[in-house]
């Protein structure tokens, strides 16, 4: 029966309407029979059908209250059905779709769809529901998969499945398949508005004109099928917006807004309404709908925020506008338009961080889009307040883009901005060129846009006048200012600039008239009142100046920091007046401090207010605290000259005069190019308190040349002249010239002070003080004659003393000159005598002693043993073997090279030893001369004290001793000094006695040849006599000298090398023979030949360079004439 009633309900619905349908389904729950199989399933089906009916009613209902009622009935029916069969698939799918429609129960619907799909993955309704959930979650790929499952489960599925697939393809970027899906959906359901709208959007976005018309036709078709479809209405409204048919836009968007409850569709409808009103410049309605759209829109829909930000800019609410654009930039971080607008907003902020952020944003825009002219111009505007060079580069880049890409002339606005940057950089010539170019452009294009270009021409002309003013071409500047005023009489800035020009010319009255003309245009203009107030302060009219600034403060409601600061400076200046009331100083200090603190509260970073607070602290005597304040201000900015001066004042108070002077000079050089009268006065004061009066006078004269009409400079100069004269007159040691100059300075100061004390106008100094100084100068002048007489007397005395000193000096000089001439003459005579003696000596020294002897060949070890009878020849012997060197083997040559290199390395040490040896030889020579005078002769070998005692004993015991030879250290032979006739004894090898003596000749009795030697013992004459064989008797025996030499092989080697080096430096090798009454010592030195050497194994290194020394006890034995082979010559040392 229930089934029959359901069938009747369907028939009733079609025939009589929905009312009977609802009655039948409601009555079947009460009156239907329940005694058949599957009655629970039929009952649940009836409840689900009725619930679906109420869901459909609620979906179509426009009234929110009625919609809630329908949804409440549907919820109750679904709850009843849950109690019958809860897990029926169709029941769960219906309930899940209802939850999805409610919007806030998406998770519950997702769970129910998952439950159904777990049992039947091809369930069409469940797949479509799941696909809708995934689509809303923007998981388009999975949503497309569920739509495909639904399509595979039933080829005849509704067109909505194709529509869903088309939307997924569109979101995934596969436009071709999206087009095919929309076309298939239209084939299945020609009245599918969703498919029509999808195809229309694809055609409208293609950019093709034909497709554009086709897309509009599709929208019109969709509108004809369902005129209440909000999506269709919104797209049509967008189409008519671009056609500028704002009435239709508003009509369609309004119907779309009323025909939907979906918030993102409502947001789009409000946005269409808002931008239509925006273009109609109906900003209030536009603001309302933009704001309403932002309330409906999802976070990713940023268009309403962009429009709302524009409305806030129109209202002047930049902070809220910045917040709107920040939301847009958060979703689209690389949007150039948003970054440009935000950069422009941040650039107008007082926050330095915001300004820096603006610079970063615009630099990012110029990086992403280097050809964006607007971005470069905005960037230049931001940088112009912080970095002029970079701003100039930005403007130049924009101008270059216009020339190259657009191929047009640079607009005058950009040329004006470039010229302004050049003006701030001090490049006036380039600035003038750009201004003239901009004016030419305006004159040339004036006919095309007269209103706009004429306004720009006025601005450029004013800027050009400012340039001429900076170039000190005041006549041209005045002409341009007056030309602007002729066309625009209310251009207030021109009146102010004309007044400033008159003020700089010290035409105070004319300047005041120009400022008053500006006030007639705008009675409350703060700049005009400020300039008038500054005029009063420059003339020390503190009261009128203070009133002008107080008027500005009242007009601006105590917000004008400059005026408040100016009043604080007025109270501070009252503390420095010479005629101030000292009882009110505390009051002035407190008032000045109060105004400076007020400025700091309004602007905590105001450096001028902080500087003023430091000044007040310094006046109160808190020097250290004031110095800290000034130091902090200077750290904040180094471009403020006042803080430099205040720090220098603090150094003066702390007695740091050098630092103060340096600070004044640096400030004068850095900010004023060495030309500023006020700072020169400060610098002069620093030198004055430092005690440098002459430097003070020089600086004041320099300031006097700069400002000849400044009486304060004249007062200070007179004061310094009086102090200079006083110090000179009080000094009893002052000369006549200084005293006379001081009297003149004193007279000059007296005249200046007298003149200054009679001034009629108000001055910066005290007139009474000037009169007192004039009287003091008069008193000092009355005592001037006494000081002049005293100085003249002192000068006469000093002149007499100087004359005496000069005379004594001349006598001493003549005496010294005579002595010097005498000394030079004696030295010349002595030198000539020495040269004559040297020539005599050289003549007598030639072949003075020639004797023959047969010398046993001595073996010279060369690293290998030789036969005993093998002779060794001297390099100077005519019979020497010329092939000797060729016989040497390679090992011996290498050894010689090694020794030669070692000798070179020790050359420096040998020279030092040579100096020491010269001193030692000189000492020994003197000792030898002394002994020769007493008749005693000794060997030149070094004798120790112990050996001398031993030799004396041997002389008594053994009257006759045989000759002994032994190797010794090399000693240089005596050479003749070029400056002296004396011979210099050089070090040589000394022969030490060996244990076994060697005979000099074969027989002691051989007396065939006897050497007769005659020696002159007179050392003073230093003459050498010839030795004959027959005249002289045999000499008595001489004592034998023995010396024990115990040296290591290394010592012998070093000594040999030194001797070889010394011998190589001598120009001539000489032999020496010394004769006397008691004995005769014969010494022969050659370069290469030695008469005796040590065995090869004892000293192989010095085998080629040995020295032989022979000591005779009685009569020397000589070889016979038949055995004579060689002749030796020797020089006899004196």
């Amino acid at each position: 029966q229930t089934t029959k009633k359901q069938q009747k309900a369907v028939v009733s619905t079609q025939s009589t309407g929905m009312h009977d349908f609802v009655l039948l389904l409601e009555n079947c729950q009460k009156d239907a029979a329940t005694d058949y199989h599957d009655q629970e399933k039929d009952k649940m089906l009836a409840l689900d059908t009725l619930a679906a009916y109420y869901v459909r009613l609620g979906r179509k209902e426009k009234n929110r209250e009625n919609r809630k009622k329908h949804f409440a009935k549907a919820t109750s029916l679904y709850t009843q059905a849950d109690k019958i069969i809860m897990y029926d698939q169709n029941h769960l799918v219906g309930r899940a779709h209802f939850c999805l429609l409610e919007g806030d129960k998406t998770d519950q619907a997702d769970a129910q769809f998952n439950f159904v799909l777990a049992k039947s993955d091809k369930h069409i309704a469940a797949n479509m529901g799941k696909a809708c959930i995934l689509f809303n979650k923007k998981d388009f790929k999975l949503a497309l998969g569920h739509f495909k499952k639904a399509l595979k489960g039933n080829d005849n599925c509704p067109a909505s499945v194709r529509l869903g697939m088309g939307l997924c393809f569109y979101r995934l970027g596969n436009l071709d398949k999206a087009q095919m899906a929309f076309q298939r959906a239209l084939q299945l359901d020609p009245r599918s508005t969703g498919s029509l709208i999808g195809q229309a959007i694809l055609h409208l976005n293609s950019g093709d004109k034909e497709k554009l018309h086709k897309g509009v036709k599709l929208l019109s078709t969709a509108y004809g099928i369902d005129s209440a479809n909000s999506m269709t209405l919104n797209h049509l409204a967008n189409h008519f917006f671009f056609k500028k048919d704002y009435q239709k836009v508003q009509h369609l968007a309004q119907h779309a807004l009323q025909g939907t409850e979906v918030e993102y569709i409502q947001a789009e409808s409000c946005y269409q309404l808002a931008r239509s009103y925006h273009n109609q410049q109906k900003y209030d309605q536009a603001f309302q709908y933009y704001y309403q759209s932002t309330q409906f829109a999802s976070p990713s829909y940023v268009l309403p925020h962009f429009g709302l930000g524009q409305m806030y800019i129109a209202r002047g609410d930049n902070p809220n506008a910045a917040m709107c654009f920040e939301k847009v930039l958060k979703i689209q971080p690389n949007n150039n338009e948003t970054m440009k607008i935000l950069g422009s907003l941040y650039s107008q902020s007082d926050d330095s961080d915001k300004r820096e952020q603006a610079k970063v944003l615009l630099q990012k825009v110029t990086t992403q889009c280097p050809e964006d002219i607007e971005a470069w111009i905005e960037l230049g505007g931001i940088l112009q307040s912080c970095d002029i060079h970079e701003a100039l580069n930005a403007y130049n880049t924009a101008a270059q883009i216009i020339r190259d890409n657009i191929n047009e002339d640079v607009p005058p606005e950009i040329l004006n901005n470039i010229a302004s940057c050049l003006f701030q950089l001090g490049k006036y010539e380039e600035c003038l060129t750009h201004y003239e170019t901009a004016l030419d452009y305006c004159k040339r294009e004036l006919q095309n846009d007269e209103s706009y270009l004429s306004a720009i021409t006025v601005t450029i002309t004013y800027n050009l006048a400012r340039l001429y003013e900076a170039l000190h071409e005041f006549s041209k500047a005045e002409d341009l200012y007056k030309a602007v005023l002729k066309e625009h009489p209310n251009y207030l800035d021109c009146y102010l600039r004309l007044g400033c020009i008159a003020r700089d010319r010290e035409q105070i009255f004319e300047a005041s008239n120009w400022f008053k003309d500006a006030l007639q245009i705008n009675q409350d203009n703060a700049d005009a009142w400020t300039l008038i107030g500054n005029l009063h302060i420059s003339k020390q009219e503190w009261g009128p100046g203070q009133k002008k600034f107080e008027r500005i403060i009242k007009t601006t409601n105590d917000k004008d920091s400059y005026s408040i600061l100016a009043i604080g400076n007025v109270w501070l200046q009252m503390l420095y007046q010479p005629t101030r009331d000292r009882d009110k100083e505390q009051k002035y200090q407190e008032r000045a401090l109060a105004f400076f603190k007020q400025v700091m509260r309004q602007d905590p970073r105001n450096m001028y207010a902080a500087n003023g607070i430091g000044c007040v602290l310094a006046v109160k005597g808190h020097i250290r605290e004031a110095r800290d304040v000034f130091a902090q201000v200077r750290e904040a900015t180094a471009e403020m000259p006042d803080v430099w001066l205040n720090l220098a004042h603090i150094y003066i108070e702390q007695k740091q005069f050098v630092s103060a002077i340096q600070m004044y000079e640096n400030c004068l050089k850095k900010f004023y190019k060495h030309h500023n009268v006020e700072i020169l006065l400060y610098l002069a004061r620093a030198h004055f308190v430092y005690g440098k009066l002459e430097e003070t006078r020089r600086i004041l004269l320099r300031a006097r040349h700069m400002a000849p009409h400044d009486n304060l400079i004249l007062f200070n100069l007179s004061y310094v002249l009086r102090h200079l004269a006083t110090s000179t007159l009080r000094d009893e040691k002052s000369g006549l010239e200084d005293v006379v100059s001081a009297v003149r300075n004193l007279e000059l100061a007296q005249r200046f002070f007298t003149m200054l004390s009679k001034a009629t106008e108000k001055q910066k100094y005290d007139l009474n003080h000037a009169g007192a100084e004039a009287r003091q100068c008069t008193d000092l002048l009355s005592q001037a004659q006494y000081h002049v007489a005293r100085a003249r007397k002192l000068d006469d005395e000093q002149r007499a003393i100087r004359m005496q000193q000069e005379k004594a000096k001349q006598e001493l000089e003549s005496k010294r000159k005579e002595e010097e001439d005498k000394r030079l003459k004696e030295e010349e005579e002595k030198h000539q005598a020495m040269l004559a003696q040297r020539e005599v000596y050289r003549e007598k020294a030639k072949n003075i002693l020639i004797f023959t002897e047969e010398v046993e060949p001595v073996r010279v070890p060369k690293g290998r043993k030789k036969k005993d009878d093998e002779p060794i020849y001297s390099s100077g012997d005519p019979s020497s073997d010329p092939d000797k060197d060729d016989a040497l083997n390679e090992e011996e040559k290498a050894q010689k090279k090694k020794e030669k290199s070692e000798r070179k390395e020790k050359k420096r040490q040998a020279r030092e030893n040579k100096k020491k040896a010269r001193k030692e030889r000189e000492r020994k020579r003197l000792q030898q001369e002394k002994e020769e005078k007493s008749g005693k002769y000794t060997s030149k070998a070094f004798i120790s004290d112990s050996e001398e005692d031993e030799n004396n004993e041997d002389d008594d015991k053994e009257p006759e001793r045989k000759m002994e030879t032994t190797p010794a250290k090399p000693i240089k032979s005596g050479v003749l000094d070029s400056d002296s006739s004396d011979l210099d004894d050089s070090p040589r090898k000394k022969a030490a006695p060996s244990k076994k003596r060697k005979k000099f000749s074969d027989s002691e009795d051989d007396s065939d040849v006897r050497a007769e030697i005659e020696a002159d013992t007179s050392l003073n004459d230093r003459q050498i006599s010839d030795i004959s064989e027959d005249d002289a008797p045999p000499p008595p025996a001489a004592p034998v000298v023995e010396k024990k030499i115990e040296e290591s092989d290394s010592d012998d080697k070093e000594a040999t090398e030194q001797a070889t080096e010394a011998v190589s430096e001598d120009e001539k090798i000489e032999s020496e023979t010394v004769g006397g009454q008691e004995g005769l010592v014969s010494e022969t030195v050659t370069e290469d030949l030695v008469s005796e050497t040590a065995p090869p194994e004892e000293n192989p290194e010095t085998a080629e360079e040995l020295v032989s020394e022979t000591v005779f006890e009685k009569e020397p034995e000589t070889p016979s004439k038949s055995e004579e082979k060689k002749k030796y010559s020797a020089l006899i040392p004196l």
Side-chain angles (χ1 to χ4, degrees), residues 410-427:
V410 181
E413 302 94 325
I414 299 178
L415 291 174
N416 180 72
N417 292 344
I418 293 174
S420 298
C421 294
L422 292 171
F423 179 84
Q424 296 182 47
L425 293 174
K427 299 179 180 180

Side-chain angles (χ1 to χ4, degrees), residues 13 18 51-71 74 98 101-102 191 225-226 228-230 255-262:
T13 302
M18 299 300 296
Y53 168 72
Y54 284 117
V55 170
R56 184 176 181 181
L57 288 179
R59 182 171 175 269
K60 292 183 178 182
E61 183 62 48
K62 305 298 181 183
N63 192 329
R64 187 170 296 180
E65 296 295 331
N66 294 334
R67 186 186 308 111
K68 288 183 179 180
K69 292 179 181 179
H70 293 315
F71 284 167
F98 174 58
L101 183 62
E102 288 183 298
R191 300 180 62 82
I225 295 172
D226 185 3
N229 188 292
S230 297
H255 281 282
L257 179 63
Q258 296 174 1
T260 184
E261 291 294 328
V262 180

Side-chain angles (χ1 to χ4, degrees), residues 185-197 199 216-230 232-233 236:
L186 284 174
Q187 292 175 2
L188 296 176
D189 185 7
R191 300 180 62 82
S192 174
T193 56
S195 300
L196 291 170
I197 293 171
Q199 272 195 321
V216 173
K217 290 181 180 180
L218 290 172
L219 289 176
S220 300
T221 303
Y223 180 75
I225 295 172
D226 185 3
S227 61
N229 188 292
S230 297
T232 305
L233 295 173
L236 285 172

Side-chain angles (χ1 to χ4, degrees), residues 725-753:
T726 302
S727 62
T728 304
L729 295 177
R730 287 179 180 177
D731 188 4
E732 295 182 356
K733 296 182 180 180
S734 299
L736 178 61
E737 185 178 354
D738 294 338
V739 172
V740 172
S741 178
V743 172
R744 292 175 183 172
N745 290 336
L746 199 58
E747 292 174 351
L748 190 61
Q750 193 267 344
R751 288 199 300 270
F752 287 158
F753 279 128

Side-chain angles (χ1 to χ4, degrees), residues 22-236:
V22 174
L23 290 176
L24 287 173
L25 290 179
E26 288 178 353
N27 291 330
C28 74
Q29 302 294 330
K30 302 176 182 177
D31 302 335
T34 58
D35 54 353
Y36 63 94
H37 182 66
D38 293 335
Q39 57 89 18
E40 292 182 352
K41 188 174 181 180
D42 290 339
K43 188 176 182 180
M44 184 196 68
L45 181 60
L47 293 173
D48 287 343
T49 303
L50 187 58
Y53 168 72
Y54 284 117
V55 170
R56 184 176 181 181
L57 288 179
R59 182 171 175 269
K60 292 183 178 182
E61 183 62 48
K62 305 298 181 183
N63 192 329
R64 187 170 296 180
E65 296 295 331
N66 294 334
R67 186 186 308 111
K68 288 183 179 180
K69 292 179 181 179
H70 293 315
F71 284 167
K73 290 181 180 180
T75 302
S76 176
L77 292 170
Y78 278 125
T79 303
Q80 294 178 18
D82 286 339
K83 295 178 181 179
I84 299 173
I85 303 176
M86 178 177 290
Y87 297 108
D88 183 77
Q89 293 183 6
N90 293 329
H91 168 70
L92 290 175
V93 169
R95 188 175 181 84
H97 277 284
F98 174 58
C99 293
L100 190 61
L101 183 62
E102 288 183 298
D104 55 349
K105 297 180 180 179
T106 305
D107 295 336
Q108 183 177 351
D110 189 30
Q112 292 174 356
F113 286 135
N114 290 334
F115 180 82
V116 174
L117 291 174
K119 292 184 177 181
S120 176
D121 59 345
K122 294 183 180 181
H123 196 288
I124 297 174
N127 278 306
M128 291 181 66
K130 180 66 175 179
C132 290
I133 293 174
L134 293 173
F135 187 89
N136 290 331
K137 289 182 178 180
K138 301 185 182 306
D139 193 351
F140 306 115
K141 194 171 183 179
L142 288 178
L144 180 61
H146 283 284
F147 281 125
K148 288 180 178 180
K149 287 181 180 180
L151 184 60
K152 291 177 180 179
N154 185 3
D155 295 337
N156 296 322
C157 63
S160 57
V161 176
R162 304 283 183 174
L163 175 61
M165 292 176 64
L167 293 174
C168 289
F169 282 127
Y170 178 79
R171 291 291 186 175
L172 292 172
N174 195 341
L175 302 182
D176 294 336
K177 288 188 176 182
Q179 180 74 22
M180 294 171 61
F182 292 143
Q183 289 177 358
R184 178 58 181 163
L186 284 174
Q187 292 175 2
L188 296 176
D189 185 7
R191 300 180 62 82
S192 174
T193 56
S195 300
L196 291 170
I197 293 171
Q199 272 195 321
I201 291 174
L202 289 175
H203 290 312
L204 292 173
N205 291 338
S206 64
D208 189 358
K209 190 173 182 180
E210 295 181 0
K211 291 184 178 180
L212 183 64
H213 290 295
K214 189 175 181 180
V216 173
K217 290 181 180 180
L218 290 172
L219 289 176
S220 300
T221 303
Y223 180 75
I225 295 172
D226 185 3
S227 61
N229 188 292
S230 297
M231 291 182 63
T232 305
L233 295 173
N234 283 334
H235 285 292
L236 285 172

